[in-house]
Amino acid sequence: MNNYTLYTVGDCCITMQVGSNINEEWSEKVIAMQRWFQSHPIIGLKDVIIAYNSISLQYNPLLVKQHYRPPGTISAFIKEMLVQAYEQATIVPGEQAVIRIPVCYDREYGPDLEWIARSKQLDLEEVVRLHTGSVYRVYMIGFLPGFPYMAAVPEAIAAPRKKGPAPVAAGSIGIAGIQTGIYPLASPGGWQIIGRTPLQLFHPLPEDRPLLQAGDHVQFYKIVKEEFISWKQ
Amino acid sequence: MSITIIKPGLFDTIQDLGRDGFADRGINPGGVMDRFAARLANALAGNPAEEAVLEIHFPGPQILFEKDALVSITGANFLPTINDEPVATWQPLFVKKNTVLQFTRKTWGARAYLSVHGGFCINKWLGSASTHIKAGMGGYAGRKLERGDKLAFQKPLCNIDQHMEPASNYKVLPWRPCIDKMYENLHQISFMEGNEWNRLGQPSKNDVESHPFYLTVMSDRMGYQLQGKVLQAGVEEELVSSAVDYGTMQLLPGGQLIVLMADHQTTGGYPKIGHVISAHFPKLAQLSAGDPIHFYPASIAQAETLLFSQEKDIAIMQRACIDHLNPFL
């Protein structure tokens, strides 16, 4: 059964949404479709953006038109390509290796940990135990270069975004709703910051495989401040 | 070296047509805000469209030419001068070494483009010369230009004296593309409905199409925050993040709009109530804080038709620029 909707994101981008919520099956589907487009390239395709439950194609309408001369709009042609990918892309079970990421949850690195603990009526250690206790799936990379959107944290520590953005240091680990993420670069941000990793997530060199990609699995583990500092050195 | 920044402008960055293909790493395309002006700047200076140019905001920089050059300045008109003599925009310009280019007043538009024949020497990052400010990569040292920065030309000119009057500092070549059509009705911007358009109630839909929205001072290369009628979303349900693009009109929680521009993020979670059509990106890029936008609805078919007719015009202009310039190269 087809379970998707298609919509335009302006005249140079089409999105196919394959489900209504955050779930592994939809994520696997859009990753499979992304792979399908790698083996079935479209002339004029500029970028493929995968998100929790959607895949978007950004294209140069002029190049698509010059190459394929579709009878209708270019937009309709790209939609057909997405439908084809949806029908033909099959989910390949990948290896389920878990990438372990060290985090220092000290107050100086996790200024909002106390707020979460207080509003959830947990002690600090319990918040850390819950955050390190689950394996998270990386659903998408977005917002900043290398920023992984991961889910789902236990409801007991799910926390709303801040009212407005505040300065966030590189390596900071945040929570927003049931999502958890890592700021690869210093940036203003609205997630509740509970700790910091000494690992470098953003690798500017093109040949470096980014530490995390959509479809990866992650588990955090706690380190103390001394370890954090020696890691940095 | 070929040029030196004597005094930096407000925000001068090296940009090209953008960095495609890295959205899966969260890296947005960036690139020039006004692709039309940048492509024409390159055509006028005898370069391919994708050559890196300097994107200039007002107040603009003071630039010392240490080598003879063939340049063009397009986009916004900031009344450029060479050694205090006014020079034309949107025309090829021979410049003698040891002269100073500066920008004296903002009379039209928001972003000017400087292209030099042969292009600047820039190390590309992920296939593009565009400056990615957040990552601190690409362009000139991953940042805006500062005092004392020096940029080399890839292909210094041998002898421009044959084209110049003796003792003159510059020579403007006598042709200019017709740009009126591209920027006519600068504040009238067409948009297509976004996926969350129907979250707006009918009165708010009417407001979008019948009231002006003003660019606030919170308007930069990432996005334009607009001030206008407060729009009411009927549904408040939170969205799962998905792709956004240049021109995406997002509805902020307070009921105001933000229009995403060249340095937008790859994904976003605010309702997408509309998308500016790409044929109107050049106009959008030339708006400044305080300017009004009047939104007009368009269909995908209209958007594509307008884009293709524009591209036809641009191809003719680019060809004409090259044909005219060839005898001088």
Side-chain angles (χ1 to χ4, degrees):
Chain A
M1 195 190 82
N2 290 342
N3 186 357
Y4 59 75
T5 54
L6 283 159
Y7 62 86
T8 56
V9 182
D11 52 27
C12 303
C13 180
I14 306 278
T15 294
M16 176 184 270
Q17 189 181 317
V18 298
S20 58
N21 54 1
I22 298 176
N23 106 13
E24 296 227 357
E25 191 189 337
W26 300 129
S27 175
E28 288 292 345
K29 183 68 188 182
V30 296
I31 291 170
M33 289 174 68
Q34 180 190 36
R35 214 175 295 122
W36 189 88
F37 282 113
Q38 282 162 4
S39 52
H40 299 78
I42 301 174
I43 307 290
L45 184 64
K46 290 165 58 176
D47 240 319
V48 178
I49 301 179
I50 55 168
Y52 281 104
N53 57 0
S54 68
I55 177 166
S56 304
L57 303 186
Q58 284 176 331
Y59 57 95
N60 177 332
L62 191 70
L63 290 184
V64 175
K65 178 184 157 85
Q66 285 168 348
H67 192 81
Y68 299 98
R69 308 241 157 240
T73 61
I74 305 306
S75 179
F77 173 80
I78 297 291
K79 284 180 179 172
E80 278 171 37
M81 291 286 120
L82 278 160
V83 171
Q84 210 175 324
Y86 181 89
E87 285 166 353
Q88 295 182 10
T90 47
I91 296 169
V92 188
E95 79 230 68
Q96 297 285 306
V98 174
I99 299 160
R100 286 169 51 80
I101 294 186
V103 179
C104 178
Y105 291 92
D106 279 18
R107 180 197 302 230
E108 99 177 80
Y109 299 134
D112 305 318
L113 187 70
E114 226 174 86
W115 182 85
I116 292 183
R118 212 174 329 116
S119 62
K120 296 285 182 174
Q121 294 175 326
L122 299 169
D123 58 42
L124 296 177
E125 277 310 308
E126 185 62 6
V127 178
V128 173
R129 197 188 65 76
L130 286 166
H131 191 251
T132 54
S134 309
V135 172
Y136 303 114
R137 177 185 175 83
V138 178
Y139 281 90
M140 57 188 273
I141 306 289
F143 171 46
L144 287 173
F147 185 104
Y149 285 77
M150 297 173 278
V153 301
E155 278 296 339
I157 57 167
R161 282 187 176 81
K162 293 177 185 172
K163 289 264 184 300
V168 177
S172 293
I173 313 292
I175 287 181
I178 58 164
Q179 308 170 97
T180 184
I182 310 172
Y183 286 78
L185 303 166
S187 166
W191 293 32
Q192 307 284 351
I193 304 303
I194 60 166
R196 198 183 298 174
T197 178
L199 297 187
Q200 193 189 335
L201 264 84
F202 172 64
H203 295 280
L205 296 179
E207 55 274 21
D208 289 344
R209 179 196 186 273
L211 181 62
L212 298 176
Q213 289 178 335
D216 285 346
H217 288 79
V218 166
Q219 186 163 22
F220 297 105
Y221 66 98
K222 181 183 165 176
I223 56 171
V224 296
K225 190 176 167 184
E226 289 69 30
E227 288 175 278
F228 181 91
I229 290 165
S230 63
W231 210 300
K232 280 271 173 194
Q233 291 157 355
Chain B
M1 285 300 155
S2 307
I3 62 169
T4 297
I5 304 299
I6 305 173
K7 190 176 161 196
L10 180 69
F11 196 75
D12 316 321
T13 56
I14 293 288
Q15 302 289 346
D16 59 14
L17 299 181
R19 181 176 286 113
D20 296 320
F22 296 94
D24 59 350
R25 298 189 192 186
I27 296 169
N28 66 319
V32 291
M33 292 275 274
D34 182 343
R35 296 167 71 96
F36 169 70
R39 288 156 79 191
L40 264 289
N42 277 328
L44 287 161
N47 292 333
E50 58 278 7
E51 191 58 59
V53 297
L54 184 60
E55 184 176 87
I56 295 165
H57 293 75
F58 196 82
Q62 277 180 21
I63 298 173
L64 171 67
F65 281 83
E66 293 170 328
K67 286 208 172 106
D68 293 347
L70 167 61
V71 309
S72 71
I73 304 163
T74 65
N77 193 345
F78 297 153
L79 297 185
T81 61
I82 300 281
N83 282 9
D84 297 323
E85 293 180 70
V87 290
T89 55
W90 297 92
Q91 287 182 239
L93 180 63
F94 281 112
V95 180
K96 282 298 288 178
K97 67 178 173 185
N98 299 322
T99 58
V100 173
L101 167 67
Q102 52 188 324
F103 299 87
T104 56
R105 196 151 58 83
K106 180 172 167 174
T107 60
W108 181 88
R111 287 163 183 96
Y113 294 89
L114 171 68
S115 172
V116 302
H117 178 68
F120 298 105
C121 287
I122 298 290
N123 290 324
K124 289 187 175 180
W125 177 55
L126 303 178
S128 163
S130 290
T131 311
H132 196 297
I133 293 284
K134 275 234 163 120
M137 299 296 294
Y140 185 95
R143 59 166 170 78
K144 69 185 179 105
L145 296 186
E146 301 289 0
R147 185 185 309 269
D149 285 349
K150 291 171 183 296
L151 284 157
F153 301 155
Q154 287 186 49
K155 273 195 295 187
L157 294 181
C158 320
N159 181 12
I160 68 167
D161 291 339
Q162 53 178 322
H163 309 303
M164 314 265 297
E165 307 290 325
S168 64
N169 290 318
Y170 65 88
K171 181 187 173 79
V172 176
L173 295 180
W175 58 86
R176 183 179 204 274
C178 179
I179 58 164
D180 301 353
K181 207 165 140 194
M182 186 64 63
Y183 297 109
E184 74 182 352
N185 304 321
L186 189 68
H187 304 99
Q188 296 181 14
I189 300 290
S190 295
F191 76 102
M192 296 161 51
E193 291 176 7
N195 195 44
E196 283 77 51
W197 171 250
N198 285 326
R199 286 196 171 194
L200 294 178
Q202 193 56 46
S204 287
K205 287 182 182 175
N206 295 343
D207 286 343
V208 171
E209 291 169 15
S210 55
H211 289 277
F213 290 79
Y214 295 88
L215 270 73
T216 67
V217 291
M218 304 282 283
S219 297
D220 56 21
R221 281 185 44 91
M222 288 182 67
Y224 293 170
Q225 289 201 26
L226 305 184
Q227 180 79 47
K229 283 267 186 183
V230 174
L231 304 175
Q232 310 281 356
V235 196
E236 292 286 347
E237 192 191 336
E238 276 226 13
L239 285 170
V240 176
S241 286
S242 63
V244 291
D245 204 354
Y246 190 130
T248 295
M249 298 155 63
Q250 290 181 313
L251 181 64
L252 298 177
Q256 296 295 344
L257 292 176
I258 182 168
V259 182
L260 301 182
M261 300 300 289
D263 280 342
H264 64 85
Q265 301 169 185
T266 52
T267 56
Y270 292 127
K272 303 173 285 291
I273 66 134
H275 305 276
V276 172
I277 66 170
S278 57
H280 285 178
F281 290 172
K283 293 202 288 187
L284 200 57
Q286 294 302 346
L287 298 178
S288 304
D291 284 346
I293 295 180
H294 301 271
F295 286 113
Y296 291 83
S299 67
I300 179 72
Q302 288 169 325
E304 288 188 4
T305 304
L306 189 57
L307 179 68
F308 296 145
S309 97
Q310 231 178 40
E311 286 293 333
K312 213 180 207 171
D313 293 345
I314 294 171
I316 293 167
M317 288 184 217
Q318 287 172 315
R319 168 52 62 89
C321 286
I322 300 296
D323 287 350
H324 279 71
L325 193 62
N326 267 335
F328 292 84
L329 295 176

